[in-house]
Amino acid sequence: MKYHFSRKQLCIPYAVFLVCFVIAPLIVILYYAFTNGEGSFTIDNLTGFFTSKNTIGTLFYSVLIAVTTTCTCLLIAYPIAYILARSKMKKKTVLMALFIVPMWVNFTLRILALKEVLTMIEGNLAFHPFLNTIIGMTYDFFPFMILPLYTTLINLDNHVLEAAYDLGAGKIDAFMKVTLPLSLPGIVSGVTMVFLPAMTNYVILDMLYNNTYIMGSLIGSYFNAYDWHSGSMISIVLLLIIFIAMWATNGFTEKESERKSIL
Amino acid sequence: MIKKIMRSLWLGIVLLFIYLPILILAGYSFLDTPTIGASGSFTLQNYVKLFTTPELLDMISGTLSLAFQCAVISTILGTLGAIGAFYSKKGMRNFIVTANQIPIVNADVVTGFSLCILLIVVLGMDKDTFIPLIAGHVVLTSPFVYLSVVPKLKQMDYSLYEAALDLGASARQALFRIVMPQIIPGIISGFLLSVTLSMDDYFITSYTKPATFNTISTYVVNATRGSNTEVKTALWALSTLIFAIILLVVLISNITANRKAGEKNDTNEI
């Protein structure tokens, strides 16, 4: 008898793969986060995280770095996405490509290039560790911000803007009350794309001689110290932050679609 | 007028910020000085060093072969997953959509760390087998293959598949001759995305790689950590080379895309 496969069975390998290599590792770190070396249940890792000045300080410092990086990226990228999306230039796709091309170069090589230039300007990178980190992260994550912004802005219905002008809105009014709210989904997805890597990418700090810790460096240091349990706890904390962010932004996009349906 | 100048000025300044470091590095990769800002004379020694140092060659070929292998595996897995999930019942599809989202939103550090715990600490796998490393990279890249194939499936005309079956094609023939050709652009872009993501990754690689194996990312980070200044200028050459290749690919794809668009316009006019 010939075996007949149905199309839906094609997803079985991928489903199995996802269970084995995506779901299972998360369950394992959840287990490790709440056990100690002897394998018995404990919440010491959790209380340890929230009572240690060191880890809490690291959490705050990563949030500070991530917020600053995200804001800088947004402030630089929004005008660019806006200018390119609203202009009638023929070559705007080429210009857009120019902003995206560096993203394909290996990020460590890009940071290396930036490091050499910053060293030339500042002499010693140790003088401005925070500033250099923000420059480095902005340099690296900036394309992730510009892409979603450009896509939402270019899909923006021109008629809505014209209607706003017809109803007597000034340029600033129209921007604040029409363009900005309508581009919110792009802003949200750009922010989520930049915020998390900025909290965890400790290699950029490392390469630019910033010896402060962020959340990612904690995992790295526990990994190097073979402390699987504390490392798992930090991973769980990071996962929680991601889930909260996803939940919050889902709320945003739902509101957005409601608003769109009203329009 | 002033507004127009302001706009171009902003675009120009940001482009300068993006390209200046890469271009300065490119310029200095052709000079014999190891410090940026100093003057030197023209030489190709950095490029010679890049292609004659065994350590550097191993690192480059290792990165490329890893990226290629992972891209092949994740393209097959992700494409099959996308086709299967597209025709599956809601429960299965929701599972795949959700699980597929996890590696994308998750921090690479967490993905790498959790895989290392499961495969190496719990299951006791040997890092030198490359299995943890390849698994990690496929976890990183296959969701993106899935995401680039799904829109093509959505755009596809459903009745074509049915028509093929009515005309006597088997399910397998219909899949390979009707569905595949229509989703091939998605598969190709998924493959290319996989290659670049795999080449770019540092965190998953460093948590799952064999001790002596290095990709570009881990090599560069180690080289900048230590006082290893001999290879530093060879890395400038590598950066310049990669940048030039990418620029070339983008230019070519842009030109062919323009030509295709031009052809389309011509036929429209006729």
Side-chain angles (χ1 to χ4, degrees):
Chain A
M1 202 185 100
K2 205 179 155 195
Y3 173 71
H4 290 279
F5 76 94
S6 76
R7 283 174 292 176
K8 60 183 180 192
Q9 284 166 354
L10 290 176
C11 69
I12 292 171
Y14 192 50
V16 172
F17 174 80
L18 287 174
V19 170
C20 293
F21 295 105
V22 175
I23 310 283
L26 295 185
I27 294 172
V28 170
I29 55 164
L30 193 64
Y31 171 80
Y32 265 75
F34 287 102
T35 50
N36 58 21
E38 282 93 51
S40 51
F41 176 81
T42 174
I43 52 163
D44 285 356
N45 303 319
L46 184 70
T47 49
F49 177 82
F50 283 107
T51 49
S52 158
K53 262 188 190 160
N54 209 354
T55 44
I56 288 295
T58 308
L59 180 64
F60 275 113
Y61 189 68
S62 350
V63 171
L64 176 69
I65 290 223
V67 168
T68 319
T69 306
T70 314
C71 290
T72 324
C73 282
L74 191 62
L75 285 177
I76 297 176
Y78 199 96
I80 290 172
Y82 186 82
I83 293 168
L84 287 179
R86 311 298 298 160
S87 83
K88 293 182 184 74
M89 265 188 291
K90 262 186 181 174
K91 294 282 173 200
K92 65 180 171 186
T93 45
V94 179
L95 255 176
M96 190 60 203
L98 273 180
F99 284 100
I100 304 300
V101 164
M103 200 165 86
W104 304 101
V105 180
N106 188 297
F107 88 94
T108 54
L109 287 175
R110 255 183 299 153
I111 297 294
L112 180 75
L114 187 71
K115 186 188 136 192
E116 301 286 358
V117 173
L118 285 176
T119 315
M120 180 182 79
I121 297 169
E122 293 174 15
N124 188 341
L125 286 182
F127 292 153
H128 312 284
F130 184 78
L131 179 71
N132 289 340
T133 305
I134 299 301
I135 294 175
M137 288 199 170
T138 306
Y139 189 64
D140 198 29
F141 303 141
F142 167 79
F144 296 118
M145 185 65 93
I146 202 167
L147 256 181
L149 284 175
Y150 181 72
T151 349
T152 36
L153 282 171
I154 205 151
N155 288 324
L156 200 122
D157 192 351
N158 251 328
H159 295 105
V160 187
L161 265 183
E162 278 164 26
Y165 290 134
D166 286 348
L167 291 171
K171 281 214 154 160
I172 296 170
D173 256 357
F175 176 79
M176 294 303 283
K177 291 190 176 152
V178 179
T179 314
L180 198 61
L182 282 179
S183 59
L184 212 56
I187 297 177
V188 166
S189 68
V191 166
T192 47
M193 298 282 278
V194 172
F195 192 82
L196 194 75
M199 271 187 83
T200 55
N201 196 325
Y202 58 90
V203 163
I204 295 178
L205 269 79
D206 224 41
M207 288 182 74
L208 296 172
Y209 301 130
N210 183 350
N211 7 350
T212 331
Y213 267 21
I214 54 173
M215 290 299 273
S217 358
L218 281 180
I219 297 182
S221 67
Y222 287 133
F223 174 80
N224 290 332
Y226 300 107
D227 185 350
W228 314 126
H229 300 281
S230 306
S232 299
M233 184 43 84
I234 305 292
S235 307
I236 295 293
V237 172
L238 272 173
L239 277 172
L240 269 180
I241 293 173
I242 296 165
F243 278 131
I244 293 170
M246 295 298 283
W247 173 74
T249 50
N250 258 338
F252 258 119
T253 35
E254 265 162 39
K255 267 182 213 146
E256 266 319 296
S257 51
E258 276 166 32
R259 195 174 293 163
K260 261 179 206 152
S261 61
I262 292 166
L263 281 172
Chain B
M1 191 61 200
I2 291 170
K3 224 169 148 187
K4 212 172 178 183
I5 294 171
M6 289 283 280
R7 281 177 183 174
S8 324
L9 202 66
W10 185 246
L11 295 186
I13 289 172
V14 178
L15 277 176
L16 202 68
F17 168 60
I18 295 176
Y19 283 94
L20 205 60
I22 301 176
L23 292 179
I24 289 180
L25 212 63
Y28 271 90
S29 73
F30 290 104
L31 298 180
D32 58 1
T33 162
T35 20
I36 300 271
S39 59
S41 51
F42 177 83
T43 170
L44 283 174
Q45 65 177 31
N46 293 325
Y47 292 84
V48 174
K49 203 194 285 167
L50 181 65
F51 288 111
T52 50
T53 315
E55 198 184 64
L56 289 165
L57 279 178
D58 282 353
M59 174 266 282
I60 295 169
S61 65
T63 309
L64 289 177
S65 77
L66 176 70
F68 183 75
Q69 287 172 40
C70 292
V72 169
I73 299 173
S74 59
T75 304
I76 294 170
L77 266 180
T79 307
L80 289 181
I83 297 173
F86 190 69
Y87 295 111
S88 288
K89 291 212 178 76
K90 216 180 171 188
M92 186 62 168
R93 193 167 58 229
N94 278 346
F95 165 73
I96 291 191
V97 168
T98 315
N100 191 67
Q101 207 60 31
I102 295 173
I104 295 176
V105 295
N106 201 353
D108 289 359
V109 198
V110 176
T111 309
F113 183 78
S114 60
L115 265 167
C116 164
I117 298 284
L118 174 72
L119 299 179
I120 297 159
V121 179
V122 176
L123 299 177
M125 265 184 203
D126 190 357
K127 278 184 178 184
D128 291 328
T129 57
F130 282 93
I131 294 173
L133 180 60
I134 291 180
H137 276 231
V138 176
V139 168
L140 177 77
T141 56
S142 55
F144 289 93
V145 177
Y146 176 92
L147 283 186
S148 49
V149 173
V150 165
K152 296 286 161 205
L153 283 165
K154 283 187 179 153
Q155 285 165 16
M156 198 173 60
D157 189 349
Y158 188 77
S159 47
L160 278 175
Y161 182 82
E162 305 289 316
L165 291 186
D166 286 347
L167 290 169
S170 71
R172 195 169 307 189
Q173 280 173 328
L175 194 68
F176 277 104
R177 299 217 180 142
I178 305 296
V179 178
M180 276 298 182
Q182 299 200 52
I183 59 174
I184 211 87
I187 298 176
I188 292 173
S189 68
F191 181 86
L192 291 177
L193 206 55
S194 295
V195 171
T196 44
L197 280 171
S198 165
M199 283 178 68
D200 209 45
D201 175 71
Y202 170 81
F203 294 101
I204 294 176
T205 315
S206 72
Y207 287 78
T208 53
K209 76 183 180 69
T212 51
F213 177 81
N214 267 315
T215 63
I216 294 176
S217 303
T218 58
Y219 190 89
V220 172
V221 173
N222 283 338
T224 49
R225 242 179 218 159
S227 50
N228 203 348
T229 44
E230 294 128 55
V231 292
K232 192 178 86 173
T233 46
L235 291 175
W236 299 353
L238 178 63
S239 154
T240 308
L241 219 58
I242 292 180
F243 182 63
I245 291 170
I246 284 157
L247 215 57
L248 208 67
V249 170
V250 170
L251 268 177
I252 290 169
S253 67
N254 245 315
I255 290 166
T256 47
N258 276 344
R259 199 169 285 164
K260 263 187 198 159
E263 276 166 19
K264 254 183 209 157
N265 282 342
D266 290 346
T267 47
N268 282 347
E269 276 165 27
I270 294 163

